Amino acid sequence: MLIKKPDDIKSSEITDKKLYLTRRNFMRGVALAATTAATGLTYRRFAVPAPPPVKGEKIEGVQAAEQATSFPPPPGEARTSYEEITNYNNFYEFSTGKSEVAGKARGFVTRPWAVAVEGMVGKPRVFDLDDLLKLAPLEERVYRMRCVERWSMVIPWVGFPLAKLLSEVEPLGAAKYVAFQTLLDPKQMPNQRSDVLEWPYVEGLRLDEALHPLTILASGLYGETLPPQNGAPLRLVVPWKYGYKGIKSIVKITLTDKRPPTTWNIAAPGEYGFYSNVNPKVHHPRWSQAKERRIGEFGMRDTLPFNGYGEQVAQLYAGMDLRVNF
Amino acid sequence: MFAPDIKFTRFVLFANGLVPAALLAWDAYQRKLGANPIEFATRATGVLALVFLFVTLAVTPLRKLTGANWVVKLRRQVGLYAFFYACLHLLTYVWFDKFFGAREIVEDVWARPFITVGMASFLLLVPLAATSTSGMIKRLGGKRWAKLHKLTYVAAVGGVIHFYMGVKADTTIPLLFAVVLALLLGYRWVRSRMDATPKSETLGIQTPPR
């Protein structure tokens, strides 16, 4: 059989084999580079690097806390770095991504700021924040912070005992609990438009827990004003309880005789109780609470009952079954 | 019909599958995984395992809808990447979370449904990866092999449930995965229904009266 060569292609126009192969290899290189770059960029879109932290203003006249109420970090319990404390935050009002909160909270307006203290008190009052911060000398309190997600930090807070504020308003004898409420402002806190939790965020303590000298209202960390992502301008710190008890950006404090509702307990009552004391022995349906990862460390540490503050606070719960009242 | 050089395409796919792992390792080396690198790596590898699993499930619809039959030749490789990332995901848990503490792992699998479902889904992938070679396909016979590999559906559903159970409150992303999976599996369901229906009915042809 004869195969006829087409006449319309001159032999001079036929691409040289070497050139053809070079071109083919070039195209292959382009295809490889383009697809891997696209895959890499897609990955990067979802794995967003944390923004650099914004420094707060220096707070003047911060005192060292008395020995009894601070926890002098023993060797091997170094303070968590400022960068980590301010770039890894659970603050669902801004974002449910812990490394995204800092960016979303930038520019959060904290002045003027009013805190209403009301309910079963002799002298209900709306405090201007700057007046409130003058009620007592600001102290540095270095506390462990244990999140229910099994990570922990050591944070040098600046604040003063909640008891000082409560004594100003003179709680009535019938008051048994203290309820707290976060600012509700979806314009500033965009994630309040979602329904991941019920807004505004609410928390509560028994009155004796609220009056305990370890319980503080914090307005700063590392000697500087609190950055928005850490709960500016005023937050609660209860170091023997899981982190979510430390309600942020507080606008209202109410004394009451009924146990107040608390946000995470409403969201998942089987997982988050009213007390939420750090307790390695209480079963959690998702994670064992027996161990924790200290941010900045590779291994896991054993979680201590009451987050290591048992000596100071265990007597508050004498006679209670802490597995039932978790 | 366009049919690319399958050998080269496989190489491109191989390189692309390694990109997320390489970037993850690079970021870890540069200490750019944030304050809790292990949590990040666990999350990332888990999501990647699901993504690759979904890609394997997208092969059949893609082939049938576009007629690009050659894509089926890439499926095994994508499936093995899903297994690869699932292994890394499990490793971050077994190693960096439990430090090979067998008792703690057993307790988790036993008492925490979130872990139970995740572990079961992983175990389902093991026989699939083990029978992925051409030799195993021959030994099992195409039909039995295909039947066994329907376990992919179960593993994918389990993986998404595990993802859903692992988040505290914001279920947006796991639900998004659930929707995609529903589309991928729903396509097969609709297709099998259509295939089961006699042709004459679907075409609206009626037997003429006698």
Side-chain angles (χ1 to χ4, degrees):
Chain A
M1 202 172 112
L2 257 173
I3 297 169
K4 209 181 162 221
K5 240 183 164 184
D7 307 319
D8 51 341
I9 301 172
K10 290 186 209 146
S11 64
S12 63
E13 280 179 8
I14 294 172
T15 313
D16 179 57
K17 192 181 175 194
K18 225 168 107 188
L19 187 64
Y20 163 74
L21 285 178
T22 317
R23 263 189 213 162
R24 195 178 69 161
N25 283 340
F26 175 74
M27 291 311 289
R28 284 181 160 189
V30 169
L32 189 62
T35 55
T36 49
T39 306
L41 288 173
T42 309
Y43 175 82
R44 274 275 173 271
R45 253 190 78 102
F46 293 103
V48 188
V54 180
K55 287 266 172 186
E57 279 171 52
K58 188 110 193 115
I59 303 175
E60 299 298 330
V62 177
Q63 304 183 354
E66 287 167 42
Q67 275 285 304
T69 53
S70 189
F71 124 76
E77 287 202 61
R79 296 170 185 209
T80 306
S81 77
Y82 184 83
E83 283 67 24
E84 286 165 330
I85 296 172
T86 57
N87 265 316
Y88 193 69
N89 312 97
N90 271 321
F91 200 167
Y92 278 25
E93 281 81 346
F94 291 104
S95 168
T96 54
K98 286 188 279 293
S99 54
E100 284 163 34
V101 173
K104 295 253 171 81
R106 203 167 282 193
F108 179 63
V109 180
T110 57
R111 291 294 189 289
W113 191 276
V115 181
V117 188
E118 54 188 46
M120 303 179 85
V121 293
K123 293 180 177 171
R125 194 178 146 187
V126 178
F127 290 87
D128 177 71
L129 183 75
D130 294 308
D131 297 336
L132 189 148
L133 293 178
K134 285 180 198 124
L135 290 177
L138 293 175
E139 303 167 23
E140 174 154 277
R141 299 277 186 103
V142 184
Y143 285 159
R144 294 186 194 95
M145 141 87 88
R146 169 65 156 80
C147 179
V148 76
E149 294 166 4
R150 303 189 315 146
W151 52 268
S152 62
M153 295 181 175
V154 174
I155 305 178
W157 299 107
V158 175
F160 67 90
L162 173 62
K164 290 265 171 65
L165 172 67
L166 294 181
S167 72
E168 286 290 315
V169 294
E170 298 174 3
L172 303 179
K176 291 280 178 293
Y177 295 94
V178 186
F180 303 83
Q181 188 181 313
T182 296
L183 176 71
L184 181 66
D185 183 359
K187 276 195 190 121
Q188 285 213 78
M189 298 172 142
N191 213 33
Q192 285 181 335
R193 293 202 182 93
S194 80
D195 58 359
V196 286
L197 290 175
E198 272 186 32
W199 312 113
Y201 196 97
V202 288
E203 257 306 337
L205 296 173
R206 227 167 51 190
L207 186 58
D208 57 344
E209 296 175 324
L211 294 172
H212 192 279
L214 281 178
T215 305
I216 59 165
L217 287 172
S219 64
L221 65 86
Y222 268 108
E224 294 167 0
T225 54
L226 212 55
Q229 62 267 36
N230 293 87
L234 191 72
R235 66 166 293 162
L236 181 68
V237 179
V238 198
W240 70 93
K241 292 175 182 284
Y242 291 115
Y244 58 87
K245 292 296 282 186
I247 185 169
K248 303 182 175 92
S249 307
I250 299 169
V251 292
K252 194 158 96 177
I253 299 174
T254 312
L255 283 96
T256 162
D257 56 351
K258 290 181 190 71
R259 183 192 281 191
T262 59
T263 295
W264 276 102
N265 180 252
I266 295 167
E271 294 184 42
Y272 316 104
F274 173 79
Y275 288 98
S276 293
N277 294 320
V278 175
N279 191 338
K281 292 209 173 90
V282 169
H283 176 81
H284 187 279
R286 231 190 306 258
W287 315 287
S288 156
Q289 299 294 356
K291 288 183 178 176
E292 68 198 52
R293 172 165 283 117
R294 182 68 48 86
I295 294 302
E297 291 180 2
F298 177 69
M300 300 286 272
R301 286 170 177 271
D302 286 335
T303 289
L304 305 170
F306 299 109
N307 205 19
Y309 301 96
E311 219 171 279
Q312 291 100 314
V313 301
Q315 85 282 352
L316 293 174
Y317 311 99
M320 279 171 66
D321 184 345
L322 294 176
R323 287 188 203 216
V324 177
N325 297 288
F326 60 89
Chain B
M1 189 78 245
F2 170 75
D5 174 353
I6 207 70
K7 237 173 127 184
F8 175 68
T9 310
R10 279 196 180 130
F11 176 71
V12 170
L13 186 62
F14 175 74
N16 275 276
L18 278 181
V19 167
L23 284 175
L24 184 63
W26 174 251
D27 287 348
Y29 174 72
Q30 297 274 309
R31 298 183 179 277
K32 279 197 176 144
L33 293 183
N36 198 343
I38 292 167
E39 180 195 52
F40 183 93
T42 305
R43 181 69 60 99
T45 49
V47 168
L48 283 163
L50 277 179
V51 167
F52 279 97
L53 207 55
F54 281 18
V55 174
T56 65
L57 292 176
V59 165
T60 296
L62 189 72
R63 194 163 66 99
K64 296 212 167 147
L65 292 173
T66 67
N69 283 322
W70 57 271
V71 290
V72 80
K73 293 183 182 164
L74 305 171
R75 188 168 58 186
R76 164 165 51 196
Q77 209 178 355
V78 180
L80 286 172
Y81 264 123
F83 185 63
F84 169 67
Y85 283 105
C87 286
L88 289 182
H89 178 63
L90 181 68
L91 191 68
T92 60
Y93 166 77
V94 170
W95 188 353
F96 304 128
D97 199 306
K98 298 294 168 200
F99 292 89
F100 303 103
R103 232 192 56 214
E104 286 173 67
I105 294 170
V106 169
E107 191 209 303
D108 256 9
V109 173
W110 182 252
R112 298 195 166 82
F114 155 59
I115 304 286
T116 317
V117 173
M119 192 66 88
S121 306
F122 173 80
L123 291 176
L124 286 179
L125 292 180
V126 175
L128 305 189
T131 57
S132 66
T133 61
S134 306
M136 282 308 285
I137 299 173
K138 266 195 203 124
R139 272 172 64 182
L140 281 172
K143 257 192 183 158
R144 273 165 65 199
W145 183 88
K147 211 171 170 187
L148 175 70
H149 279 245
K150 288 220 159 73
L151 282 179
T152 314
Y153 307 156
V154 187
V157 170
V160 171
I161 293 174
H162 167 70
F163 191 14
Y164 179 87
M165 291 173 98
V167 300
K168 271 201 306 183
D170 189 354
T171 51
T172 317
I173 298 172
L175 287 179
L176 194 74
F177 272 72
V179 169
V180 175
L181 183 61
L183 288 174
L184 291 169
L185 297 183
Y187 170 85
R188 289 169 166 79
W189 184 75
V190 171
R191 184 101 196 174
S192 72
R193 292 284 302 230
M194 275 165 61
D195 290 349
T197 319
K199 279 248 156 66
S200 59
E201 255 176 64
T202 54
L203 294 173
I205 299 167
Q206 288 178 345
T207 330
R210 298 218 163 181

